[in-house]
Amino acid sequence: MSDFFIRLATPQDGEEAALLLQQSITQLCVVDHQNDPTTLARWLENKTPQHFQGWLDDSESRLVVASDPSGLLGVGALHRSAVIRLCYVRPDIPRSGIGSALVSALEVFATEWGLRSLSLQSTLTARSFYERRGFVPTGDPIQVFGVLRAFPYAKSLSP
């Protein structure tokens, strides 16, 4: 996919970003949540416009979105603690380069902040995506809630 761009998220993105996060989780991550209602409820509880605004207001975080004339295509978030907290794409366009562009943008912010590495907790669904981008497993999976497991990853950044 071409003709999209990455930009800093704005408060006006809240509604659309929350919907994108919810749809991506429910549709692309079925192997992770297994359609378990408890797991889905817990995973989705902070994927709201209000939480999105809170993340935007956090001076220790950077939120980016991928967009084109049709609207938002993806959402990514980095915390100054060197943790990628979000990287989701619209469920109708997986493997389109959007996720890679989001991670690249977050790596630029990390480098600007002087961070030397990044970490994240991947879903089973996204493991190969992160591994193709140079992230390596750093431990055993962690039971997050319900049936959801998180796989810890890290990546060293070039100075």
Side-chain angles (χ1 to χ4, degrees):
M1 174 167 224
S2 58
D3 297 340
F4 69 88
F5 59 97
I6 305 293
R7 62 174 172 78
L8 286 170
T10 68
Q12 292 75 26
D13 295 321
E15 293 282 337
E16 191 175 0
L19 181 61
L20 184 151
L21 293 169
Q22 294 163 14
Q23 290 174 337
S24 183
I25 289 166
T26 57
Q27 296 174 36
L28 292 178
C29 300
V30 174
V31 71
D32 297 291
H33 58 69
Q34 302 171 36
N35 288 315
D36 175 63
T38 303
T39 301
L40 271 170
R42 290 281 311 278
W43 198 351
L44 297 173
E45 72 184 347
N46 70 345
K47 307 309 186 281
T48 65
Q50 296 78 17
H51 279 94
F52 188 83
Q53 183 61 50
W55 299 329
L56 279 175
D57 292 342
D58 180 1
S59 64
E60 299 293 302
S61 294
R62 290 294 176 269
L63 271 72
V64 294
V65 294
S67 65
D68 73 4
S70 72
L72 295 188
L73 308 172
V75 178
L78 171 69
H79 191 265
R80 195 180 287 266
S81 62
V83 177
I84 292 180
R85 293 191 170 166
L86 297 173
C87 185
Y88 291 93
V89 298
R90 226 172 55 195
D92 61 327
I93 53 168
R95 295 175 181 81
S96 59
I98 303 295
S100 293
L102 291 168
V103 170
S104 292
L106 297 176
E107 289 176 356
V108 168
F109 282 117
T111 301
E112 289 173 358
W113 280 342
L115 302 176
R116 295 182 181 194
S117 65
L118 290 174
S119 65
L120 57 87
Q121 291 186 348
S122 176
T123 61
L124 180 62
T125 300
R127 289 184 74 189
S128 63
F129 165 80
Y130 288 116
E131 289 171 4
R132 287 190 306 273
R133 275 138 204 87
F135 285 84
V136 295
T138 58
D140 294 328
I142 304 159
Q143 195 70 34
V144 182
F145 43 77
V147 298
L148 185 63
R149 293 182 302 156
F151 297 82
Y153 277 84
K155 178 180 181 177
S156 294
L157 299 174
S158 300

